[in-house]
Amino acid sequence: MTTRRTGLRERKKQVTREALREAALRLALERGPDNVRVDDIAEAAGVSPRTYNNYFSSREEAIVAAISAGRESRVAAAVAALPAGSRLADGVINAIVEQYTDPGEPGRDTLLLITTSPALRNAFLNATAAIERPLVEAINDRLDETDPYTARVLAASVAAAVHVALERWLQPATTAPTAGDLVVPAGSLPDLLRTALAPLTPALDAAEKRPPRDEQHR
């Protein structure tokens, strides 16, 4: 009974989170992000502002959550599902590129929303940190590691590399008269992601080739 209640509670939280982030994005697209208040998002989702604050710390965080919803868990799931004998580095890089360059995410209007708002750009970049935790578990399982640092360092490095690639992609043109207000994505995002992640390949390869910790002490 306790397990059932816990599961029901978690599902209810997930439904509330989804309602909030969907309302945030819809209102931002309709009104512009600067014309959306937390109270507006909460009302549109059918909850109180206090409940909203239990899920998101700002309107930007909620809007970006609607864009990146589930991306980090899909990256981790792809790594966890790598077949035996495949290369971890290739699996991580391919999973990141696939999830961040899905032609349906974000859509044209949503991308324009991000690129015209400095606050949303920052929130979009900061959201890359969410990759770390689920990726730690996937890498740790893949390496069969008991070392508390290897998977964490690798996952944190992947998140940092993605941040660098997206930052470059959304970097304001300093020569533009409206720099900071409008950003035209620069270059190929898949190429930028692969370039940023490439320096991590030796570390991922080395971690994968290292014998399990219990064998190291035999």
Side-chain angles (χ1 to χ4, degrees):
M1 184 65 72
T2 301
T3 301
R4 183 180 299 177
R5 284 202 199 97
T6 301
L8 182 60
R9 190 181 307 116
E10 290 304 314
R11 287 195 294 274
K12 184 177 180 180
K13 286 182 178 180
Q14 183 61 27
V15 169
T16 301
R17 182 180 295 277
E18 290 175 0
L20 286 168
R21 67 194 185 202
E22 289 171 6
L25 179 58
R26 176 173 55 79
L27 292 174
L29 288 169
E30 290 174 357
R31 306 177 185 179
D34 292 340
N35 298 316
V36 177
R37 302 175 305 156
V38 166
D39 287 5
D40 298 329
I41 300 171
E43 181 179 359
V47 301
S48 68
R50 182 175 180 180
T51 297
Y52 176 96
N53 291 328
N54 290 334
Y55 290 86
F56 300 106
S57 61
S58 67
R59 65 186 176 191
E60 288 80 15
E61 185 180 343
I63 294 168
V64 167
I67 299 166
S68 60
R71 180 184 286 152
E72 60 274 6
S73 60
R74 291 194 298 272
V75 168
V79 173
L82 289 174
S86 61
R87 189 182 181 197
L88 176 60
D90 290 341
V92 169
I93 293 173
N94 290 338
I96 290 290
V97 171
E98 180 180 353
Q99 292 303 323
Y100 273 86
T101 59
D102 183 331
E105 290 187 26
R108 182 181 180 280
D109 291 343
T110 304
L111 181 60
L112 184 62
L113 189 72
I114 295 170
T115 58
T116 53
S117 169
L120 278 177
R121 285 202 304 273
N122 289 335
F124 184 68
L125 291 172
N126 291 337
T128 58
I131 298 171
E132 184 176 342
R133 180 173 292 181
L135 193 55
V136 167
E137 296 181 9
I139 292 176
N140 203 57
D141 289 345
R142 173 78 179 187
L143 299 178
D144 193 21
E145 273 286 359
T146 55
D147 179 344
Y149 301 110
T150 300
R152 289 186 62 188
V153 170
L154 291 172
S157 299
V158 170
V162 173
H163 187 287
V164 168
L166 292 178
E167 188 174 44
R168 175 67 185 86
W169 190 56
L170 295 174
Q171 184 176 0
T174 56
T175 56
T178 55
D181 296 325
L182 176 63
V183 174
V184 178
S188 162
L189 181 54
D191 289 346
L192 288 170
L193 286 166
R194 290 187 183 280
T195 299
L197 289 162
L200 302 181
T201 297
L204 288 162
D205 284 345
E208 191 168 35
K209 291 174 182 176
R210 189 173 64 178
R213 194 175 184 184
D214 56 348
E215 293 183 12
Q216 296 178 34
H217 296 285
R218 288 180 182 176

